Amino acid sequence: MIALRQKPIGVFDSGIGGLTVVHALTECFPHENIVYFGDTARVPYGSKSPQVVREYAAQDIDFLLGNDVKMVVVACNTVSAVALDVVQKHAHMPVIGVIVPGAAAAVHSTRNKRIGIIGTRATVNSRAYAHAIRQIDPDVQVFSQACPLFVPLAEEGLTDHQATALIAKEYLFPLLLEKIDTLILGCTHYPVLRTAIAAAAGTAITLIDSGAATAVEVGHLLDTTDLRNPSAQKPNLRFFVSDIPAKFTEVGERFLGQRMGMVRRAAVGGV
Ligand code: DGL
């Protein structure tokens, strides 16, 4: 059992954004080993059809399973929204996506039962957050807005640029009209733009980071499955990507909040 507990948590994403979830995991669990896969050759997933994302997700999970992981965290909101069942079917081990933890944290936070969601087009079109919220509290009203420009803005590092502030205001305006009091950051990249999003939302709206909510849920899962790593040693964090690693490393350290060490290339899905 000790050997099983020391195995890594497998985390995957469409690309670089999932490193914000790895950041949340390393904050909560400083001794867990992690293997990360980012499908940088085929990103973005958020503008693709559910069929294509489901196909990619099946290939991504097969790669992680080949790395002898003990549980799987689907960091990508788009995959969690449209393909969690595919991952669960392949994995035969505990699997956690970001939608249900994010939805639960938002329901817990809202006072007026009006929740906003921002994410990729695929996540918003799937209505996965709305479905998860209504499962918990059918009286909550949900309002969604796709924010496709946030992904490149975050990757380009334009966190406090006036273009980001302007675009954030434009995207959030319809949600503010609906008098939401809680807003789910339903995309891996959005925590990087948190300051700009918070400024556009105003102080009356609570922001929910679905990645951070997922890390809390991972803690419960590690305990209920008795899979917490008992070791007090510095963990082994390994990173794999499907395109050449150069840009991933450069941008990724900002998302992760620490140095990344070696990033390796992995051939996944024939790319
Ligand atoms: N990781 C994706 C998500 O959280 C954003 C980037 C993409 O579109 O692939 O939905």
Side-chain angles (χ1 to χ4, degrees), residues 13-15 17-18 43-47 75-78 120 123 151 186-189:
D13 179 52
S14 56
V43 71
Y45 284 12
S47 53
C76 183
N77 284 257
T78 303
T120 64
T123 298
V151 166
C187 174
T188 49
H189 288 61

Side-chain angles (χ1 to χ4, degrees), residues 108-122:
H108 190 251
S109 142
T110 185
R111 294 286 161 261
N112 70 359
K113 294 188 187 273
R114 299 174 79 81
I115 296 175
I117 293 147
I118 51 176
T120 64
R121 283 211 172 88

Side-chain angles (χ1 to χ4, degrees), residues 5-6 21-22 27 43 50 68 84 119 125 130 135 140 142 150 158 181 207 225 238 256 263-265:
R5 292 187 189 124
Q6 284 172 345
V21 181
V22 175
E27 294 273 292
V43 71
D68 207 16
L84 194 65
N125 291 344
Q135 294 278 97
V140 171
V142 175
F150 278 167
L158 300 176
D181 73 347
L207 303 188
T225 53
R238 287 184 291 146
L256 185 63
V263 178
R264 271 169 287 194
R265 189 160 179 203

Side-chain angles (χ1 to χ4, degrees), residues 187-225:
C187 174
T188 49
H189 288 61
Y190 300 175
V192 176
L193 302 178
R194 191 182 178 111
T195 309
I197 295 170
T203 47
I205 295 178
T206 305
L207 303 188
I208 302 292
D209 176 346
S210 60
T214 301
V216 173
E217 209 41 54
V218 167
H220 296 145
L221 199 57
L222 285 169
D223 290 336
T224 52
T225 53

Side-chain angles (χ1 to χ4, degrees), residues 109-261:
S109 142
T110 185
R111 294 286 161 261
N112 70 359
K113 294 188 187 273
R114 299 174 79 81
I115 296 175
I117 293 147
I118 51 176
T120 64
R121 283 211 172 88
T123 298
V124 166
N125 291 344
S126 75
R127 299 178 195 275
Y129 271 111
H131 180 73
I133 287 169
R134 297 229 174 84
Q135 294 278 97
I136 304 167
D137 184 346
D139 295 335
V140 171
Q141 282 190 275
V142 175
F143 307 92
S144 318
Q145 175 70 44
C147 304
L149 292 173
F150 278 167
V151 166
L153 289 169
E155 292 195 7
E156 292 304 322
L158 300 176
T159 43
D160 27 76
H161 195 280
Q162 56 188 17
T164 307
L166 206 65
I167 289 167
K169 268 197 192 142
E170 185 75 20
Y171 278 149
L172 264 48
F173 183 67
L175 299 178
L176 299 185
L177 286 182
E178 299 295 351
K179 305 264 180 278
I180 59 163
D181 73 347
T182 302
L183 178 65
I184 300 178
L185 307 181
C187 174
T188 49
H189 288 61
Y190 300 175
V192 176
L193 302 178
R194 191 182 178 111
T195 309
I197 295 170
T203 47
I205 295 178
T206 305
L207 303 188
I208 302 292
D209 176 346
S210 60
T214 301
V216 173
E217 209 41 54
V218 167
H220 296 145
L221 199 57
L222 285 169
D223 290 336
T224 52
T225 53
D226 197 16
L227 282 175
R228 211 179 262 267
N229 187 1
S231 160
Q233 281 173 2
K234 198 168 173 286
N236 186 12
L237 307 183
R238 287 184 291 146
F239 301 95
F240 294 89
V241 287
S242 51
D243 199 351
I244 53 163
K247 186 176 173 227
F248 178 85
T249 310
E250 183 200 313
V251 178
E253 290 184 347
R254 250 193 301 115
F255 280 53
L256 185 63
Q258 60 171 285
R259 298 301 303 258
M260 224 179 315

